[in-house]
Amino acid sequence: MMNSRQHVGLQKVSALAGTLRSSVGPVKNYKFILDEASGESVLVCSCFRIIENLEPRCAVGQLVHETVRAHHKGYRTGSGCLLFIAGAWSRAALDCLQRGISVKHIITAMSEGIDICRNVCKKSSVSLKDLAGMGKRTAAPPRSGLQPSETPITEASQESANVHEKCLNARGQRKVRLSRHFCETDDDALVPVPALPELPDVAVIAESLSHGCESAMKLAAEAAQMLLKTNERHIGDPSFDVSKVTTCALPGLPEECACVVDGCVLLLSDEQAAVAHVLKHQPLKVALVTGDLSQTYRHLGFKGLPAARVRGRLDSSASSEADEWMEKVLKLLLDLEVKLILTAGLASQKVIQHCCRHHVLVVEQVSSSVLGIIASSTGAVPVSYATQLTEPCVGSGVTLEIWRDLSGCGRTSLTAVNISTGGTGGPVTAVITSRIHGKLQALEDQFWACAHRLHHALKDGALLPGAGATEALCVRQLQKQAECRGVEDGKTGSAAELYRGLVLQLMADGLIDYTAAVMVNAGRFSAAEARNFVSEKLQDFHSDEITAGKCLQVVLESGREDAVFSAVKPDEAPTVKIYDNLSVKQEAWTKALDLVFLVLQTDAEIITGTGPETESNLMHL
């Protein structure tokens, strides 16, 4: 129940975060969200999808939604952690206000607390170079259900070694002639060659970041491996460019049929499939359109005649204009010998039908990232309108093949085709399958979460100890600083310092609450048992140095019977350690605290009636 005398905004953040308590951590349950007005329902699993479908109406709810949406857009993972921590630290701020601590002192102390957490993450992070030896000791995970390739996922390591050996041989045979003062000798072969940095196998990193989504992470590792093989320039410094990955959801097939395909897999109707059968296995010219393929489309920001004046014309005039536009576009496509049009927007049914009659395939709603990849691979130049097409804008070298006929897998007859550029740097498609149509979105979200975890791990070059280890380290440091502040504050007696230790302790309690919630969701503990377990382990953990190894021993007991984030059975032996993303966790915590500060200061201005111009001691974001 909301208390009107307190900070209502903070209470709303806490209440909204409480509704998602059962969705944090690797063990998530599917939920139905029912729209009472329309009677429609949607099956959701992640915190982001729950917030997206709740449609918050209040200002705080919209602010929370925008914060989570912005984080999800950049990271695709960690939204549940962000919202839970925001709710926990909102309760901490409310507790401080009830104890009479001013807004200024709360913001100052919490800012110090997040700095402590950042410092812990920096010191406890594990470099990927330190994990390089793990790939030699750990076998690659089984690849059941992945259809297109039978090459083991550890092939990148051997390929990197081969390239390195070729570089060594080339350097040993090369002779340098820089000027007449240098003698031509064979001592050049004795020059030491800097070795390429030894990095762990992608499979090892992927397995440690799966977080309960083993099938989705296998697909992500397969996609990363496929891109690494085609991009030999970065073998010594591997990276996973997720912008070159797209997804295709195929209903009606079992989940075991999910796989990764080199190329862009798209779904076509029967009419489009008939054209695809004519064009298959032929080198095609392609045109890329960033807008809708229709006569009425206008790009964002277009300034033309008022809409009322355009609609006021006779229907016969509008119809004749559409026919003229259609004839112009068809003549242009035929003159340029374009056989494939990919558009990011929609295409009218009339346009598709006219193009099919002339054996021109139109594929609509293609992602902008795929358009960019195909443009760079074929030399095509994307245009906003089809009438802007010229010969330099048309790309070449695209091939099309029928990938799978799905006529018997669902209510509608569909055909999956694979569009390939034939060279390196082309798109890679993760095919997501399920017999339950409503589950496809959740499975696709799991794949993107795993793909972005792998992407950020390679980009950061470091990982954080997982399974609650990083949170335990932060809690220990916050409690240690709170104890030190309490001793110092008792001597100095400063009003500002008296509350700092209390605020840090409340922030630590929020992290404990998060760890306990994940344990409860794993199905091993009740809420009280989980919190008592974490508190007992933290009491046993007395380390002056921030070392991840000792904390992992505390959190991950032998046999994993009481592992914090473990969802496996007690008799199953652990194969790899669990890790988290460095940048994702830091960004989630930072955005959570920024949200708390914004709501806290807004509530303070509403309650007290003071603004930044009248009370200079408030800190504003």
Side-chain angles (χ1 to χ4, degrees):
M1 179 178 292
M2 301 295 177
N3 189 343
S4 59
R5 294 185 178 183
Q6 295 181 357
H7 289 237
V8 179
L10 293 177
Q11 296 179 63
K12 289 181 178 180
V13 174
S14 177
L16 189 57
T19 60
L20 305 177
R21 187 181 184 91
S22 62
S23 298
V24 296
V27 182
K28 298 179 176 64
N29 295 321
Y30 287 93
K31 300 176 178 63
F32 275 107
I33 296 181
L34 178 65
D35 188 348
E36 296 181 352
S38 63
E40 297 180 353
S41 61
V42 61
L43 185 65
V44 297
C45 182
S46 65
C47 292
F48 170 73
R49 293 299 175 189
I50 295 175
I51 289 293
E52 184 184 46
N53 289 278
L54 285 179
E55 297 180 359
R57 300 176 182 176
C58 63
V60 174
Q62 293 176 359
L63 181 61
V64 170
H65 176 261
E66 289 300 319
T67 302
V68 173
R69 187 180 65 85
H71 179 83
H72 180 80
K73 183 179 179 180
Y75 293 92
R76 293 294 186 100
T77 182
S79 299
C81 174
L82 186 159
L83 189 53
F84 190 99
I85 295 299
W89 287 347
S90 293
R91 292 190 296 273
L94 281 171
D95 196 350
C96 293
L97 292 170
Q98 293 174 356
R99 296 170 185 260
I101 304 176
S102 66
V103 173
K104 174 186 175 182
H105 294 157
I106 293 174
I107 293 177
T108 302
M110 282 191 162
S111 299
E112 181 182 346
I114 195 66
D115 289 339
I116 293 173
C117 292
R118 289 197 193 101
N119 187 42
V120 169
C121 291
K122 181 179 179 181
K123 292 184 177 180
S124 62
S125 62
V126 182
S127 173
L128 294 185
K129 296 179 181 179
D130 297 335
L131 299 176
M134 187 182 301
K136 301 177 182 179
R137 300 188 302 267
T138 306
R143 292 159 34 90
S144 59
L146 301 179
Q147 298 177 357
S149 176
E150 296 299 330
T151 307
I153 204 167
T154 56
E155 187 175 341
S157 301
Q158 183 64 34
E159 187 172 354
S160 177
N162 294 338
V163 172
H164 188 200
E165 184 177 357
K166 292 179 181 179
C167 293
L168 288 175
N169 295 335
R171 288 195 175 209
Q173 298 170 1
R174 186 172 59 225
K175 296 182 179 181
V176 182
R177 296 185 181 92
L178 296 179
S179 79
R180 60 187 177 86
H181 299 288
F182 285 87
C183 298
E184 187 175 317
T185 65
D186 292 336
D187 293 338
D188 190 44
L190 301 177
V191 177
V193 179
L196 292 174
E198 188 179 6
L199 295 173
D201 195 276
V202 172
V204 176
I205 304 175
E207 199 172 6
S208 64
L209 291 172
S210 61
H211 294 184
C213 302
E214 287 79 10
S215 299
M217 184 56 82
K218 287 178 184 178
L219 293 178
E222 181 91 5
Q225 178 69 21
M226 196 171 292
L227 289 175
L228 286 173
K229 286 167 59 178
T230 58
N231 192 6
E232 297 180 357
R233 294 179 302 170
H234 299 285
I235 287 181
D237 183 19
S239 61
F240 182 21
D241 188 359
V242 290
S243 65
K244 293 186 178 181
V245 181
T246 184
T247 56
C248 179
L250 299 184
L253 296 176
E255 296 181 19
E256 291 76 14
C257 294
C259 61
V260 178
V261 180
D262 188 7
C264 180
V265 178
L266 300 170
L267 297 179
L268 303 181
S269 63
D270 286 341
E271 188 176 13
Q272 293 171 308
V275 180
H277 279 282
V278 176
L279 301 177
K280 64 182 180 180
H281 306 307
Q282 299 179 20
L284 306 176
K285 289 187 177 182
V286 60
L288 308 178
V289 180
T290 59
D292 292 343
L293 197 60
S294 66
Q295 187 264 338
T296 57
Y297 170 75
R298 297 295 181 269
H299 65 272
L300 186 64
F302 175 81
K303 293 183 179 180
L305 295 175
R309 293 179 61 183
V310 175
R311 293 194 185 102
R313 297 181 180 180
L314 296 176
D315 294 339
S316 60
S317 175
S319 177
S320 63
E321 284 186 2
D323 293 339
E324 291 177 3
W325 178 87
M326 176 65 64
E327 292 178 2
K328 181 180 179 181
V329 170
L330 276 176
K331 184 178 184 302
L332 188 59
L333 294 175
L334 294 176
D335 291 342
L336 295 174
E337 299 180 350
V338 173
K339 292 297 183 180
L340 177 63
I341 303 177
L342 303 180
T343 174
L346 299 174
S348 65
Q349 193 64 27
K350 189 175 182 180
V351 172
I352 295 177
Q353 291 175 355
H354 277 72
C355 289
C356 287
R357 293 170 188 170
H358 294 82
H359 299 300
V360 177
L361 180 60
V362 178
V363 183
E364 56 184 347
Q365 292 183 307
V366 180
S367 64
S368 57
S369 61
V370 173
L371 291 182
I373 298 169
I374 294 179
S376 61
S377 302
T378 63
V381 178
V383 296
S384 299
Y385 304 93
T387 54
Q388 295 176 328
L389 285 171
T390 58
E391 188 171 354
C393 298
V394 177
S396 59
V398 175
T399 57
L400 184 147
E401 63 178 5
I402 307 300
W403 190 71
R404 175 166 291 185
D405 186 4
L406 304 173
S407 56
C409 297
R411 298 178 181 177
T412 58
S413 180
L414 297 173
T415 300
V417 297
N418 185 10
I419 299 174
S420 176
T421 58
T424 60
V428 171
T429 303
V431 181
I432 310 297
T433 60
S434 178
R435 295 191 183 275
I436 305 173
H437 191 278
K439 195 177 178 181
L440 286 171
Q441 181 65 68
L443 294 175
E444 189 174 353
D445 289 342
Q446 289 178 8
F447 167 79
W448 282 120
C450 292
H452 278 75
R453 285 194 206 114
L454 195 54
H455 162 72
H456 287 291
L458 295 173
K459 182 180 179 181
D460 298 339
L463 294 172
L464 286 176
T470 301
E471 284 78 5
L473 290 168
C474 291
V475 168
R476 181 55 188 158
Q477 281 301 111
L478 289 171
Q479 291 177 342
K480 182 179 178 181
Q481 291 296 322
E483 294 171 359
C484 295
R485 292 293 181 182
V487 175
E488 295 176 0
D489 298 343
K491 298 178 181 179
T492 59
S494 173
E497 298 290 339
L498 287 175
Y499 305 112
R500 189 164 297 182
L502 175 61
V503 176
L504 295 179
Q505 180 60 50
L506 291 175
M507 290 184 71
D509 291 341
L511 294 176
I512 294 176
D513 194 19
Y514 173 79
T515 306
V518 176
M519 294 173 61
V520 172
N521 293 340
R524 298 256 183 118
F525 299 87
S526 65
E529 292 173 347
R531 193 169 183 87
N532 291 336
F533 172 81
V534 176
S535 300
E536 291 175 1
K537 293 300 180 182
L538 287 171
Q539 290 177 1
D540 297 336
F541 178 54
H542 298 287
S543 175
D544 295 333
E545 298 180 358
I546 303 177
T547 55
K550 292 183 179 180
C551 186
L552 281 171
Q553 293 175 5
V554 172
V555 181
L556 296 175
E557 297 289 338
S558 59
R560 299 173 67 108
E561 296 182 3
D562 48 7
V564 175
F565 280 12
S566 176
V568 300
K569 298 178 180 179
D571 56 349
E572 293 180 352
T575 55
V576 293
K577 291 182 178 179
I578 302 174
Y579 290 94
D580 293 329
N581 287 111
L582 174 61
S583 59
V584 175
K585 189 176 288 289
Q586 286 184 327
E587 186 67 18
W589 289 355
T590 301
K591 284 184 178 178
L593 191 60
D594 289 343
L595 177 63
V596 173
F597 284 170
L598 182 58
V599 176
L600 173 64
Q601 292 176 109
T602 304
D603 279 354
E605 293 178 10
I606 294 174
I607 294 173
T608 62
T610 60
E613 66 279 357
T614 58
E615 189 173 348
S616 58
N617 62 346
L618 283 179
M619 296 175 59
H620 294 271
L621 297 178

